[in-house]
Amino acid sequence: MKATQSTVVSPTARQRWTRMRPLVIIIFLGLLFVIATALIPRYEKDSETLSPNNPGDSGAQALVQTLRHHGIKVVKVSSARELIARSTPDSTAVITYPGYMPDATAKAIDEKVHRVVYLLSHYGSDLDTPSIEVTTSKTTKATKTLSAECISQPALKAQTLLNNSGQLVTTTEAGWTKCFPADDAYAYLEKNEGDRFRAIIADGAIASNQWVDSDGNAALLINAMAQKPTIYWYDGSEDNVLASDKLDTLGPQWLIPILSLIGIGITVIGFSRGQRLGRLVPEDLPSYVPSSETTKGRGRLMATQKQHAHAARLLRIEAVTTIAKRLGIDPKAPRATLEHALAARGLLTARVSDLLWGPPPTNNSELVELAEALSALTQEIEYQ
């Protein structure tokens, strides 16, 4: 009986190239994308209030460009985690809308960031962290130009300040240098303790393109912010939750797109070379948790911790944002703009002002009443 012979034929170089060609093309296109992203200049522009990239009246591009002209590196960060990770003793964090930050985020920034300049908003949002407790108020004086009257170097170099909105801050804590007084409150607070520096500007709008060149506004801002070579600019109303499930990377901006491109390429190759393992079988999706249950759970947590003031602040911020959108104005616009829009519709009453900007509730019943009243107000405006 003859034995059968079998031979093993190795694939040729051409066959190997034919199989590898799709992957090589994908890698080549990915490298081209990375090179183009790195070499092509990008001009970022937005319309966010006090944004370094906003050239409009509400933006802060003029101040940021001046800082860069003087050799200061200004970097806009997108999250609180990125701000904390990047901050060093040789950098300064500039935070707009700090009142929007949750207590845990404000506490983490206060503990881990060495130098911070807070630009408060028009909405009268108080600032409360483990080492900072300030309260906002409005001046009754007709004049908007205030004199320094303190020993702070940034304030002395500014000499005067144009506080157009009349918003001021005050604190009972020791160690603060208080500048630009009016009605027993101040437009600028400063505390310098070794390598820790804190500055609070009562009216963040003085950093806007519209007001930065008035009186000593620019001098105060530059001398408070530019004491170190790097500034990290952060909007406290954006991505301000430290414990988040979403991806937050400090890598280059092109990393996620290139990984997505490679993933799509591998998927395409898999579909082109793969085989089905059988017919499709429909399956029931697992049960989901309604968003209302999540909201109720968060509310119960705040109730057990007696966080009435914080819960009320979140409710009011949400109500102001919803009302502003209904009226067709920027949710981050000054309080005066929102009041004017409400008055134009005949809705600005003492009750509405108390609902949106009044004192916080002190117990559960007052908080429930406030929530119901805010809900009724937003519905009333929606159906007008």
Side-chain angles (χ1 to χ4, degrees):
M1 183 176 180
K2 277 188 175 181
T4 59
Q5 295 182 350
S6 61
T7 58
V8 177
V9 180
S10 299
T12 64
R14 185 173 183 177
Q15 290 174 329
R16 289 195 184 98
W17 165 247
T18 302
R19 293 178 181 177
M20 294 177 59
R21 185 165 51 189
L23 184 59
V24 172
I25 293 174
I26 292 173
I27 295 175
F28 178 72
L29 293 176
L31 290 175
L32 285 180
F33 180 81
V34 171
I35 294 172
T37 304
L39 296 181
I40 298 176
R42 297 184 302 272
Y43 177 68
E44 298 178 356
K45 180 179 178 181
D46 58 46
S47 58
E48 297 177 2
T49 304
L50 294 183
S51 169
N53 303 321
N54 182 0
D57 288 345
S58 63
Q61 189 179 72
L63 172 63
V64 171
Q65 293 293 354
T66 303
L67 290 167
R68 288 170 176 163
H69 180 73
H70 285 80
I72 304 300
K73 181 181 179 182
V74 182
V75 180
K76 182 180 180 182
V77 297
S78 58
S79 68
R81 280 179 291 175
E82 183 180 357
L83 175 66
I84 293 173
R86 289 179 177 266
S87 294
T88 67
D90 286 328
S91 66
T92 301
V94 175
I95 302 179
T96 63
Y97 298 98
Y100 283 71
M101 295 188 298
D103 294 341
T105 303
K107 178 181 178 182
I109 290 176
D110 184 57
E111 291 176 349
K112 298 178 181 179
V113 180
H114 293 80
R115 306 178 62 83
V116 185
V117 176
Y118 295 97
L119 301 180
L120 301 188
S121 68
H122 284 287
Y123 292 127
S125 53
D126 300 341
L127 184 60
D128 188 5
T129 72
S131 65
I132 304 174
E133 183 177 357
V134 298
T135 304
T136 56
S137 62
K138 290 282 186 179
T139 180
T140 58
K141 292 186 177 181
T143 178
K144 303 297 184 180
T145 302
L146 306 177
S147 300
E149 299 183 24
C150 66
I151 60 173
S152 165
Q153 287 301 313
L156 289 176
K157 291 179 180 179
Q159 296 184 0
T160 60
L161 180 73
L162 180 61
N163 188 354
N164 189 63
S165 72
Q167 180 162 291
L168 302 169
V169 293
T170 185
T171 181
T172 57
E173 295 180 357
W176 286 93
T177 301
K178 305 173 183 178
C179 306
F180 304 102
D183 293 341
D184 297 325
Y186 307 88
Y188 177 73
L189 301 179
E190 177 184 294
K191 180 185 284 189
N192 204 337
E193 298 175 331
D195 63 345
R196 286 179 59 83
F197 174 80
R198 297 291 183 270
I200 300 173
I201 296 175
D203 181 12
I206 70 170
S208 67
N209 299 327
Q210 182 178 8
W211 300 109
V212 69
D213 61 345
S214 301
D215 290 314
N217 292 1
L220 175 67
L221 293 164
I222 292 173
N223 285 281
M225 296 178 181
Q227 298 179 24
K228 296 296 179 180
T230 304
I231 293 175
Y232 293 110
W233 197 286
Y234 171 58
D235 184 346
S237 64
E238 302 289 339
D239 197 1
N240 54 23
V241 180
L242 294 179
S244 174
D245 292 332
K246 75 177 189 176
L247 182 61
D248 183 21
T249 176
L250 302 183
Q253 296 181 354
W254 50 261
L255 181 61
I256 298 301
I258 192 63
L259 290 178
S260 302
L261 183 63
I262 293 175
I264 293 173
I266 294 175
T267 303
V268 171
I269 293 174
F271 275 110
S272 63
R273 299 182 63 85
Q275 296 179 350
R276 291 182 58 178
L277 301 179
R279 65 183 182 85
L280 297 177
V281 179
E283 294 182 355
D284 294 332
L285 293 174
S287 60
Y288 66 95
V289 178
S291 59
S292 59
E293 293 297 327
T294 305
T295 304
K296 291 178 181 178
R298 186 178 182 185
R300 293 190 188 100
L301 180 61
M302 288 188 178
T304 56
Q305 299 296 321
K306 300 188 183 299
Q307 295 288 327
H308 305 106
H310 180 62
R313 184 177 66 183
L314 295 178
L315 289 172
R316 281 172 167 154
I317 289 174
E318 182 64 25
V320 166
T321 302
T322 302
I323 292 172
K325 290 180 179 178
R326 294 282 185 266
L327 299 179
I329 61 177
D330 185 358
K332 294 180 182 179
R335 172 179 172 178
T337 303
L338 183 59
E339 290 177 341
H340 179 74
L342 290 171
R345 295 202 175 191
L347 297 173
L348 184 61
T349 62
R351 172 180 169 275
V352 172
S353 296
D354 184 66
L355 283 177
L356 297 178
W357 301 289
T362 57
N363 53 53
N364 289 339
S365 60
E366 292 180 1
L367 180 61
V368 171
E369 292 177 3
L370 175 64
E372 293 175 347
L374 288 173
S375 177
L377 177 61
T378 55
Q379 291 180 5
E380 178 184 352
I381 294 175
E382 180 179 1
Y383 292 112
Q384 270 201 346

